Amino acid sequence: MPEQLNRSYCSDDSLGSSGELVAPSIERWPQFEPMLRLGVMASGNGSNFGAIQEAISANLLKAEIRQLVVNNQGCGAAKRADCFNIPCKLLDHRKFNQREHLDHALVKTFLQADVELVVMAGWMRIVTSVLIDAFPSRLLNIHPSLLPSFKGLDAVGQALKASVRVSGCTAHLVQPDVDAGRIIAQAAVPVHQNDTPASLAKRIQFQEHRILPWAIALTGLNWRQGQSIG
Ligand code: GRF
């Protein structure tokens, strides 16, 4: 198991040694039979996309990523998809003259790939009800603050500017208001006096990589249970 996952997932305690708090605490991972079918959207480096795949490879998250969509050609996420052998499609937002048109293309792509749950893992575009309504309660986002504080752009910078002593990250369902849907999981981290945007972002991202796969499992469980009740 990779070192980071080993440290990240194998504690029964929600309070880590560096002072972070994860809630709900990461405990027994739900089993999915058949495996959860995921679609992922990413715009940049793709470290969260990578963390989802690592949790899958470590046999914690019982899922498969059936489709990655990126909006920036050659971005880090697309390169990672190559290494993981995951199908990657480019939907460049610059080629669509309305947000809804891009979202229709996303929906079509994910339906073709037969995904159950869609994860916005660093998707730096606002999405519309076209995508949200296609995956009700099954569209997740990761945001680098403890929502409802510091919504929108540069959440880490906003936190530093506000001199908060604790910040963190939130995995939440997506609804039409930006960064406002139901919260699935959060991790809190300390903000140190000498933190820079880069040092705080790094501490927060470490936790994003823990809670996003966990939030996918929790959301998937909810979805599958709803399916079996009919
Ligand atoms: C993450 O910090 C996430 O919170 C934000 O975008 C960033 C994406 O990072 N929405 P990465 O591309 O997953 O490395």
Side-chain angles (χ1 to χ4, degrees):
M1 186 183 291
E3 169 64 12
Q4 181 182 339
L5 286 178
N6 201 14
R7 267 187 290 136
S8 304
Y9 293 114
C10 293
S11 152
D12 325 317
D13 200 336
S14 58
L15 270 178
S17 53
S18 55
E20 84 280 0
L21 166 70
V22 173
S25 57
I26 299 172
E27 291 170 352
R28 190 186 296 265
W29 288 76
Q31 300 297 305
F32 295 104
E33 183 51 51
M35 280 190 291
L36 266 183
R37 302 183 303 277
L38 305 179
V40 178
M41 300 155 61
S43 298
N45 178 29
S47 68
N48 279 285
F49 165 61
I52 298 168
Q53 184 53 43
E54 279 192 33
I56 292 172
S57 301
N59 227 9
L60 297 167
L61 178 60
K62 305 286 186 209
E64 61 171 323
I65 303 176
R66 293 179 77 112
Q67 181 72 60
L68 172 72
V69 174
V70 299
N71 62 323
N72 293 313
Q73 189 158 26
C75 65
K79 290 182 185 140
R80 289 176 203 259
D82 258 4
C83 301
F84 296 139
N85 260 325
I86 291 173
C88 176
K89 179 163 184 163
L90 171 68
L91 291 175
D92 184 341
H93 60 277
R94 301 160 195 91
K95 303 231 161 95
F96 296 83
N97 51 19
Q98 282 180 32
R99 287 188 197 280
E100 284 79 4
H101 293 171
L102 170 60
D103 286 1
H104 276 299
L106 282 160
V107 170
K108 191 172 165 201
T109 303
F110 288 133
L111 291 181
Q112 273 169 355
D114 193 24
V115 312
E116 298 169 274
L117 210 137
V118 176
V119 188
M120 293 166 52
W123 180 256
M124 306 312 256
R125 310 285 309 164
I126 291 173
V127 296
T128 69
S129 53
V130 169
L131 180 64
I132 297 166
D133 294 348
F135 295 96
S137 300
R138 288 178 288 138
L139 180 62
L140 267 174
N141 183 44
I142 183 80
H143 182 77
S145 78
L146 288 175
L147 290 173
S149 293
F150 312 129
K151 295 177 180 180
L153 290 176
D154 191 22
V156 173
Q158 291 183 55
L160 285 173
K161 206 165 166 198
S163 301
V164 293
R165 305 305 304 269
V166 172
S167 191
C169 49
T170 304
H172 64 95
L173 295 178
V174 178
Q175 67 174 44
D177 294 343
V178 173
D179 300 328
R182 185 154 72 83
I183 290 171
I184 306 297
Q186 289 186 304
V189 301
V191 180
H192 301 313
Q193 302 281 15
N194 58 354
D195 262 331
T196 61
S199 64
L200 180 56
K202 190 171 171 203
R203 195 172 309 121
I204 289 173
Q205 268 223 332
F206 185 85
Q207 299 304 327
E208 290 184 350
H209 300 163
R210 299 177 69 198
I211 68 164
L212 186 55
W214 180 234
I216 292 168
L218 296 176
T219 306
L221 188 60
N222 217 19
W223 153 249
R224 286 278 177 95
Q225 282 171 346
Q227 289 292 96
S228 61
I229 292 163

